[in-house]
Amino acid sequence: MPSLVGSEMCIRDRAGPSGRGLRTGGTYRIIRHPLYAGELLYALGYVVGNASWRNALVWLGLLGGQILRIRWEERLLRACYPEEYSAYAGGFAGG
């Protein structure tokens, strides 16, 4: 069943998960997940400006959620764009 769901999400007619194809230019040349990094930095700024153990705990939860989200998304991208994404991700540390 999961393989059926994954294959449906990778139909080339729609150009993959986002419907726009694999993006590797612009900020994606510098960082693999610029939107997620921006969300984490924004939230970290809030935590620094409003320091408390509760805010730090919420930020750590957000970080954990983003890591899970990134892992899921990268599995999907590798399934949809096997050669292209491997070549792209190989240019980063931990690729």
Side-chain angles (χ1 to χ4, degrees):
M1 182 71 164
S3 63
L4 289 175
V5 173
S7 65
E8 284 297 316
M9 294 178 80
C10 294
I11 297 173
R12 287 281 182 168
D13 294 339
R14 289 191 238 155
S18 69
R20 295 175 290 177
L22 182 63
R23 300 286 178 143
T24 59
T27 55
Y28 291 95
R29 286 189 325 223
I30 301 165
I31 185 168
R32 277 199 335 226
H33 302 284
L35 296 175
Y36 304 157
E39 288 175 6
L40 288 170
L41 286 173
Y42 177 82
L44 183 60
Y46 179 84
V47 171
V48 169
N50 299 281
S52 77
W53 66 270
R54 288 185 182 124
N55 287 341
L57 193 60
V58 168
W59 187 84
L60 287 173
L62 178 63
L63 175 64
Q66 291 290 38
I67 289 170
L68 292 174
R69 186 178 181 188
I70 286 168
R71 287 182 178 173
W72 175 83
E73 183 177 288
E74 289 197 350
R75 276 194 306 266
L76 180 63
L77 289 168
R78 286 184 196 281
C80 292
Y81 308 100
E83 291 111 29
E84 300 100 319
Y85 193 75
S86 291
Y88 167 70
F92 292 91

